[in-house]
Amino acid sequence: MDAREEKIYELLKKYFGFNDFKGQQKEVILSLLDGKDSFVLMPTGGGKSLCYQLPALMLEGTAIIISPLIALMKNQVDAMRGFSMEEGVAHFLNSTLSKAEINAVKDDIMSGKTKLLYVAPESLTKEENLEFLKKFKISFYAVDEAHCISEWGHDFRPEYRRIRSIVNEIGRAPLMTLTATATPKVQHDIQKNLDMLDANVFKSSFRRPNLYYEVRPKINATKQIIKY
């Protein structure tokens, strides 16, 4: 085990309380630390968020996490603050913040406190945010729920299709995409749209031993539903 691997295990224990990684988490993190683009297909509960949270704590600058859900942003920011005991370590920028709160977030980022900044794809299209993001070092970009780039997703979140051009405007850095929902066609579309066809690809098994399907005959359906 080299010094870098020792460091990620040290941070894993210090901030997240785990002794070992789950599935391909370690390989994904090392790929990002190598500066490679990464496509991550992992089932719900597979530990996708740790794949960008841990390297963000290691790397110089601030990681930009593109997420579609305000509630998810808040949950992850709260969790990161709990892990690190430093309130400024993670922030989000979205429509729920007042002008004063936005200014406080920007101050923390410019001071170097903030390692993760969560933004909605719509926030990236605002000119004032674009100009601000050009002012500090971005360690990498992580696109969560990346399936929104493809198929039906962009029908209601069209800004997802603009992420590559926005990243190019702000400043290129390693790009990680994460999803639990991607057929081979959707995967290719995501990688093509983001200009990351040469990315390292990590696919985890979707086998969940605690889940199973069971088919039963319909006999007195109303009674069965009530019993269920």
Side-chain angles (χ1 to χ4, degrees):
M1 186 183 299
D2 61 23
R4 188 177 57 170
E5 286 194 45
E6 289 179 0
K7 183 65 175 179
I8 65 175
Y9 276 101
E10 177 189 329
L11 294 180
L12 180 69
K13 181 65 175 180
K14 177 180 178 181
Y15 289 108
F16 303 96
F18 300 125
N19 292 315
D20 206 352
F21 291 98
K22 181 190 295 187
Q24 293 184 297
Q25 285 177 327
K26 183 176 79 170
E27 288 75 17
V28 174
I29 291 168
L30 290 174
S31 171
L32 184 59
L33 294 178
D34 284 335
K36 306 291 187 182
D37 291 341
S38 305
F39 178 91
V40 181
L41 179 61
M42 223 176 250
T44 301
K48 290 189 293 296
S49 59
L50 189 139
C51 292
Y52 54 78
Q53 289 171 340
L54 193 152
L57 296 171
M58 289 183 66
L59 294 170
E60 180 186 357
T62 302
I64 305 300
I65 316 302
I66 302 167
S67 175
L69 303 173
I70 289 175
L72 181 60
M73 289 185 205
K74 186 177 187 310
N75 286 344
Q76 293 211 0
V77 166
D78 289 344
M80 281 306 302
R81 290 174 178 176
F83 293 146
S84 73
M85 305 302 291
E86 171 59 61
E87 186 170 330
V89 71
H91 281 297
F92 55 79
L93 273 179
N94 60 40
S95 57
T96 67
L97 299 181
S98 67
K99 186 67 176 177
E101 289 171 328
I102 291 173
N103 288 336
V105 169
K106 291 181 177 180
D107 287 344
D108 275 356
I109 293 170
M110 296 306 294
S111 71
K113 292 181 182 178
T114 304
K115 305 303 291 181
L116 298 105
L117 177 64
Y118 291 78
V119 298
E122 292 81 4
S123 297
L124 289 177
T125 63
K126 294 182 178 179
E127 190 61 34
E128 63 178 298
N129 289 337
L130 278 173
E131 292 306 311
F132 173 68
L133 292 170
K134 295 175 184 178
K135 294 180 179 179
F136 60 90
K137 180 176 177 58
I138 293 173
S139 54
F140 63 88
Y141 301 88
V143 183
D144 207 0
E145 308 296 340
H147 53 273
C148 291
I149 291 170
S150 183
E151 296 290 330
W152 51 268
H154 63 271
D155 290 341
F156 70 99
R157 302 304 285 265
E159 289 79 8
Y160 261 92
R161 300 290 287 190
R162 297 180 56 194
I163 289 174
R164 179 78 264 177
S165 61
I166 293 169
V167 164
N168 289 344
E169 182 177 349
I170 296 170
R172 295 190 70 141
L175 179 63
M176 174 187 289
T177 59
L178 306 103
T179 180
T181 309
T183 62
K185 179 182 176 182
V186 169
Q187 175 188 334
H188 179 78
D189 190 29
I190 292 169
Q191 291 185 256
K192 182 178 179 181
N193 178 266
L194 292 175
D195 189 21
M196 54 183 297
L197 290 172
D198 293 331
N200 290 337
V201 176
F202 302 91
K203 294 183 181 181
S204 299
S205 172
F206 279 69
R207 182 176 180 272
R208 303 282 292 277
N210 59 322
L211 300 178
Y212 68 94
Y213 291 100
E214 181 177 349
V215 180
R216 298 184 181 185
K218 185 174 72 173
I219 303 171
N220 194 341
T222 302
K223 184 177 179 180
Q224 285 180 313
I225 291 171
I226 292 171
K227 184 179 179 181
Y228 178 78

